[in-house]
Amino acid sequence: PPTREPCTFAQPSGGADWRRTSKHRLLATLAHLALVEEAERRNLSRVLILEADAVPSLANEELSLEPSRAAALGARLSAAFASRHPWSVLRLSGMFYSREFARPLSPQARRGGRRRSCSPQCQCTPWAGLAATEAATSSYPLACEVAPDPNPSDTVLPMLERLGRWCDVRDTSAYAVHRRAYPAFTSYLRRLLVRPAWLRDAANNAPPIDVWLPHALPSVYLLPTLVSQPSFANDSQGATALMRQTSARQFMRLCSGGGGGSGVDAA
């Protein structure tokens, strides 16, 4: 049962101790927030955050077979995200859950042949910055933006109660933060650090960084995603990559209006 003992962990990993899992998530969140705080201290205009286990996605691997196309894409993205078109967070990775972004159909609607549509909270609006650059690589990639919860919370329960108001897209293995979003990160970090007892005794109330990010800030998603992350839920990295490819492709088709014709599978 839950206790108010300090979170001390003798075992290196594993086990069913909810406090161990909660503390891992909390420390990861604090690390991400602290990195953005350091970027602000150094007066950086933007910062790229990569987790240690980030790996290239299937789309990235395909691009590597065409160096000239990859170079053109890199130049296009650099120009787009250095432009004056506003953005806060650029997500280069993502785990898209169909239960979040796909509106469910009734049995009658399914029998009538109706197709599923995007949930309102996950509508992804085309980001003008990428469209404004020279289309050196045709329609690939697509960049679109999803709005956050209009009234974000610091704790998990209110977030779960308001899932219909924000789009739950997990995975923060690779993302960039613009300086206009630094205050959101640093102020949340300060709110966490002034409550040491709360962090120690109720760490499971602090959201993981990949939940807090789409809940609190507008996110521009680059699709197909360029970075993936292994998962212990599957037997191989390939299985994880295929699962993420399928989910991102479905998100593109339903929510971005740009799912067809790019010639590169989502990953």
Side-chain angles (χ1 to χ4, degrees):
T3 72
R4 286 195 166 272
E5 300 173 17
C7 291
T8 56
F9 306 100
Q11 299 180 29
S13 62
D17 191 332
W18 65 269
R19 293 177 300 170
R20 183 179 298 108
T21 300
S22 298
K23 190 170 185 180
H24 168 76
R25 291 174 177 171
L26 173 62
L27 292 177
T29 296
L30 292 173
H32 281 251
L33 299 176
L35 286 171
V36 176
E37 181 185 50
E38 178 64 13
E40 182 179 57
R41 188 187 69 81
R42 296 188 184 193
N43 198 31
L44 301 180
S45 62
R46 50 195 180 273
V47 61
L48 174 66
I49 296 178
L50 290 173
E51 293 186 352
D53 56 352
V55 297
S57 69
L58 296 183
N60 200 331
E61 292 178 5
E62 184 174 333
L63 277 170
S64 69
L65 302 177
E66 303 179 66
S68 61
R69 189 180 179 205
L73 171 61
R76 185 181 178 209
L77 292 176
S78 295
F81 289 97
S83 71
R84 295 182 179 180
H85 292 275
W87 60 279
S88 295
V89 175
L90 167 64
R91 305 281 296 275
L92 301 173
S93 62
M95 185 64 214
F96 302 89
Y97 294 97
S98 61
R99 67 176 183 270
E100 299 296 334
F101 69 77
R103 192 195 302 264
L105 289 177
S106 66
Q108 182 179 3
R110 285 196 296 268
R111 288 193 295 270
R114 289 181 56 187
R115 298 178 63 182
R116 299 178 77 178
S117 59
C118 184
S119 301
Q121 71 272 17
C122 291
Q123 288 290 342
C124 204
T125 304
W127 182 66
L130 191 62
T133 63
E134 181 182 358
T137 51
S138 184
S139 60
Y140 175 79
L142 177 132
C144 60
E145 188 171 46
V146 177
D149 190 324
N151 296 295
S153 171
D154 285 355
T155 54
V156 169
L157 184 57
M159 291 182 178
L160 297 178
E161 292 173 342
R162 297 171 58 85
L163 275 175
R165 301 198 178 192
W166 62 283
C167 190
D168 186 6
V169 180
R170 306 291 177 92
D171 189 345
T172 47
S173 56
Y175 65 98
V177 183
H178 192 276
R179 69 187 326 155
R180 66 172 47 86
Y182 290 173
F185 283 78
T186 56
S187 62
Y188 185 43
L189 177 61
R190 286 193 293 269
R191 292 197 300 274
L192 291 179
L193 293 180
V194 298
R195 302 167 68 182
W198 179 81
L199 294 181
R200 184 189 66 227
D201 299 329
N204 59 320
N205 285 335
I209 185 64
D210 61 350
V211 174
W212 177 82
L213 195 64
H215 173 75
L217 289 160
S219 296
V220 173
Y221 293 95
L222 193 66
L223 302 169
T225 52
L226 297 180
V227 179
S228 187
Q229 191 175 41
S231 169
F232 295 112
N234 296 291
D235 292 334
S236 70
Q237 181 176 312
T240 300
L242 183 61
M243 176 181 66
R244 289 170 180 262
Q245 169 183 286
T246 302
S247 68
R249 184 169 61 243
Q250 290 298 320
F251 179 80
M252 289 176 67
R253 181 176 65 83
L254 291 182
C255 296
S256 72
S262 71
V264 182
D265 285 337

